[in-house]
Amino acid sequence: MAVETRPRDVQPYPLSADTLALRSRTWDRLKFEIEYGLQKGTTANSYLIRSDKTALIDPPGESFTEVFIQALQERFDLRTLDYIILGHTNPNRCATLKALLELAPQAVVVCSNPAAIALKDLLKDTEPTLHIIKKGDTLDLGKGHNLEFVLTPSPRYPGHLCTFDPATEILFTDKFFGAHVCGDQVLDEGWQVYEEDRRYYFDCIHATALRQTLLALGKIADKPATIYATGHGPLVRYSRQELLNNYQTWAEKQKNEISVALIYASAYGNTATVAQALARGISKAGVMVETFNAEHAEPEDIKTAIANCSGFIMGSPTLGGHAPTQIQTALGIVLANAEKTKLAGVFGSFGWSGEAIDLLDGKFKDAGYQIGFDPIRVKFKPTDVTLKTCEETGTDFAQALKKAAKRRKPKENVASTSQTANLEQALGRIVGSLCVITTKQDELSGAMLASWVSQATFNPPGFTVAVAKERAIESLMNTGTDFVINVLQEGNHLGLMKHFLKPFGPGEDRFEGVETTEAENGCQILSDALAYLECKVANRMECGDHWVIYATTDKGQLLQSNGITAIHHRKSGTHY
């Protein structure tokens, strides 16, 4: 849901006498990628340092090419541009880079070695002058702007680097500490309002690359920065230390004895997007993900992860009817080192055929591995529906690993079991009304049976509902989203309860065979419900293995005037 509809523009903001932020803004979603799922628009933040030498840091993607170059030309002659510094490379950003180099062919492109390798394919018709950054390198722009570079690679962005300017104490962080939100606010005054957006961004971008994220955070903490100049959203000034600490805490929370090795290669970014959705689903279920881009990962690192993981998933594009060489090499490592008891999965994207997916699937089946899900085959770019299905697939894969680990766990001693049983029985006596939560966002819909529901406020009318982190509906219940809570009727609830209790497959229609009508907020009302309330998520709080959602309501109706609410009685407090 876009916050508002306005033309794309570029918002200038001076950070110092020599440093200008240029925030390319859109109030639309921009991309079908999981990190844009909150649909709050975004800013693509670029930075211009004008000293004895002029450097442009992080040009935006092709959605902003025209308005961004116009904004630059209004401020200086592009023929005087000396450097273009890239925090990361991708086809989207390179469209703007190519347009810049046509107007400023003298500009030197500054990037890491993996980025330089990628640019050879991304800029086939252009031969820019490259300045490749190695560990410890600096770049002197004059007047104290002696830029320092921090190499911070990740599987998705192997060429990622941060840039520190000691003259202004600004660290240009690109993919770190951002949020996909759009507005007029440049700095993070009142930063608590962005906490959910920042956490969501972290979970999508960094949570699935734990080792690399922790290494990068250590390097970033060493720089005496007063501002984190992010690639997206508000710049971080007032919450810098809190956000750095939060990143550390969130990353540490990902550590788990149960882990999945996720190995992929991506020619045009589509396979990487699918990998991201799978990884998001796995991590939601409380299972650690180690992600490897086969084009850049060290074979020994893949070997170690495969030996230690609980399950593995491989993904590949199809190029000329084959899997890339790097995937074939990684496949050999997996087959030689993964025990046959480990759960496996396969995915990939393609333009015409998809032979690479069949290759991986066939090799794993021939080797005797148990396959955790049907191969995911994505033609061209994944849609929102595809990504939601992939996320649910990742969650199901993780839950299968958790169940297997629980079966292998030794039984507790009798005394400990007795104490636990007493607590479970007492906790289970807390009862709740039986409800079905329904929600719809564009082409995505979701539903779940809920009994942890309680009125929380009179003014405004509000209540709380607890949603397990691994629930599919959780990603459709972020702050600002609409949903309907359907209260079930005693004596008429068993059919609906049975329907919504059953395990749904990834992407399966939750409402097939259920009579519904549409609420004013677009979500589904169950025709056989006792009552319904149209609600909006006002806040979320992370509580252990659940999110506690606080929602407000301004519309509802009693559908059965003589009915009473169905109540859920539990014998144990360890499950619903």
Side-chain angles (χ1 to χ4, degrees):
M1 55 178 183
V3 176
E4 55 182 303
T5 302
R6 286 167 54 176
R8 293 175 184 177
D9 65 11
V10 177
Q11 177 192 27
Y13 185 89
L15 296 175
S16 73
D18 297 333
T19 305
L20 180 70
L22 294 164
R23 304 173 76 237
S24 301
R25 302 187 293 177
T26 178
W27 282 260
D28 299 322
R29 174 168 178 177
L30 191 63
K31 287 184 181 182
F32 283 102
E33 292 183 4
I34 192 168
E35 66 261 35
Y36 293 88
L38 297 183
Q39 302 188 39
K40 295 183 178 180
T42 193
T43 68
N45 301 332
S46 306
Y47 304 93
L48 186 67
I49 302 175
R50 300 191 67 186
S51 185
D52 296 337
K53 300 283 187 180
T54 300
L56 173 65
I57 300 175
D58 294 333
E62 62 182 327
S63 301
F64 301 109
T65 300
E66 186 176 341
V67 294
F68 179 71
I69 289 180
Q70 181 180 342
L72 284 180
Q73 289 176 322
E74 290 172 356
R75 286 163 176 81
F76 77 107
D77 185 347
L78 280 171
R79 291 173 296 181
T80 65
L81 179 61
D82 296 290
Y83 301 105
I84 302 173
I85 300 172
L86 301 180
H88 77 279
T89 56
N90 59 30
N92 188 43
R93 173 172 281 184
C94 282
T96 304
L97 177 60
K98 185 178 289 188
L100 283 169
L101 291 172
E102 289 175 0
L103 298 170
Q106 77 289 341
V108 175
V109 177
V110 181
C111 62
S112 67
N113 190 55
I117 294 171
L119 287 176
K120 291 179 181 179
D121 290 328
L122 295 172
L123 298 177
K124 290 180 179 177
D125 302 326
T126 308
E127 295 184 2
T129 302
L130 299 180
H131 179 79
I132 299 175
I133 296 299
K134 299 180 180 62
K135 182 179 179 181
D137 283 356
T138 61
L139 181 66
D140 194 354
L141 304 181
K143 299 178 182 177
H145 298 279
N146 189 24
L147 304 184
E148 302 170 10
F149 298 98
V150 185
L151 298 173
T152 50
S154 70
R156 190 172 179 194
Y157 303 107
H160 195 277
L161 59 80
C162 300
T163 303
F164 179 65
D165 184 356
T168 56
E169 296 184 332
I170 297 173
L171 181 66
F172 302 93
T173 58
D174 197 18
K175 288 295 181 181
F176 279 91
F177 311 122
H180 285 303
V181 294
C182 186
D184 295 327
Q185 185 173 339
V186 177
L187 299 174
D188 59 336
E189 302 95 333
W191 54 269
Q192 289 88 347
V193 74
Y194 298 115
E195 280 190 297
E196 182 181 338
D197 303 297
R198 288 168 163 180
R199 174 62 186 272
Y200 181 83
Y201 182 88
F202 171 89
D203 286 344
C204 292
I205 299 291
H206 300 291
T208 56
L210 176 61
R211 182 167 53 87
Q212 295 91 339
T213 297
L214 288 171
L215 284 172
L217 292 175
K219 297 176 183 178
I220 287 170
D222 289 339
K223 296 298 178 184
T226 57
I227 293 179
Y228 290 158
T230 59
H232 301 286
L235 282 63
V236 180
R237 178 179 180 180
Y238 302 102
S239 59
R240 183 186 53 76
Q241 191 59 51
E242 288 85 352
L243 186 54
L244 181 62
N245 292 342
N246 282 344
Y247 260 57
Q248 295 272 7
T249 300
W250 297 337
E252 291 291 341
K253 281 185 178 180
Q254 302 302 315
K255 291 182 178 180
N256 198 303
E257 293 179 358
I258 307 172
S259 67
V260 174
L262 180 58
I263 305 162
Y264 72 92
S266 189
Y268 304 104
N270 297 330
T271 309
T273 300
V274 175
Q276 181 190 18
L278 282 166
R280 170 78 170 128
I282 294 167
S283 62
K284 272 181 60 174
V287 170
M288 188 172 76
V289 187
E290 278 206 271
T291 308
F292 297 91
N293 185 331
E295 298 173 78
H296 301 280
E298 293 294 332
E300 195 60 35
D301 290 340
I302 296 177
K303 180 179 177 181
T304 301
I306 285 294
N308 296 329
C309 71
S310 309
F312 60 89
I313 302 175
M314 287 194 71
S316 176
T318 298
L319 304 176
H322 302 283
T325 302
Q326 297 92 335
I327 283 293
Q328 296 186 40
T329 301
L331 175 61
I333 296 172
V334 171
L335 292 173
N337 294 279
E339 296 176 4
K340 298 299 185 287
T341 55
K342 293 185 178 180
L343 198 62
V346 171
F347 69 97
S349 65
F350 57 94
W352 306 108
S353 49
E355 290 92 345
I357 304 167
D358 298 329
L359 166 70
L360 295 175
D361 186 48
K363 289 289 187 182
F364 292 147
K365 285 179 178 177
D366 291 344
Y369 293 104
Q370 181 184 354
I371 307 299
F373 52 85
D374 291 335
I376 296 174
R377 306 171 63 89
V378 178
K379 192 169 185 178
F380 301 117
K381 289 183 179 294
T383 64
D384 258 352
V385 174
T386 302
L387 293 179
K388 190 71 175 70
T389 301
C390 292
E391 180 185 300
E392 293 175 19
T393 301
T395 297
D396 285 355
F397 190 86
Q399 288 173 333
L401 295 178
K402 290 168 71 175
K403 288 177 182 177
K406 188 175 182 180
R407 288 193 298 268
R408 294 191 297 268
K409 191 175 181 180
K411 294 183 179 180
E412 297 178 352
N413 62 55
V414 176
S416 175
T417 302
S418 177
Q419 293 172 5
T420 302
N422 290 337
L423 173 61
E424 291 172 359
Q425 291 169 9
L427 189 59
R429 294 310 183 266
I430 300 175
V431 299
S433 57
L434 276 173
C435 304
V436 174
I437 293 172
T438 61
T439 186
K440 191 173 191 300
Q441 295 179 21
D442 299 325
E443 299 301 315
L444 300 176
S445 61
M448 81 167 195
L449 187 71
S451 60
W452 290 6
V453 181
S454 178
Q455 185 170 351
T457 55
F458 289 122
N459 186 20
F463 63 92
T464 60
V465 55
V467 181
K469 289 180 177 178
E470 69 266 23
R471 287 293 187 100
I473 200 174
E474 180 273 334
S475 57
L476 300 177
M477 296 186 69
N478 292 288
T479 301
T481 57
D482 296 317
F483 67 95
V484 165
I485 185 159
N486 298 270
V487 183
L488 302 189
Q489 180 181 356
E490 180 65 33
N492 192 33
H493 67 285
L494 293 179
L496 289 172
M497 183 177 175
K498 183 178 179 181
H499 176 84
F500 289 104
L501 269 177
K502 72 180 183 181
F504 291 96
E508 185 177 349
D509 182 4
R510 271 65 172 168
F511 300 98
E512 185 176 357
V514 177
E515 187 177 346
T516 65
T517 58
E518 186 174 298
E520 289 186 25
N521 66 9
C523 303
Q524 299 89 336
I525 299 170
L526 304 185
S527 300
D528 288 336
L530 169 65
Y532 75 88
L533 296 165
E534 296 189 33
C535 315
K536 186 179 289 291
V537 178
N539 209 342
R540 286 163 49 111
M541 181 169 66
E542 186 177 11
C543 299
D545 55 3
H546 282 64
W547 287 98
V548 174
I549 309 291
Y550 171 67
T552 57
T553 178
D554 60 3
K555 195 176 277 79
Q557 186 175 343
L558 184 65
L559 300 177
Q560 310 293 335
S561 58
N562 295 322
I564 60 173
T565 302
I567 302 295
H568 186 206
H569 296 275
R570 296 180 299 155
K571 292 183 178 179
S572 170
T574 61
H575 53 272
Y576 298 117

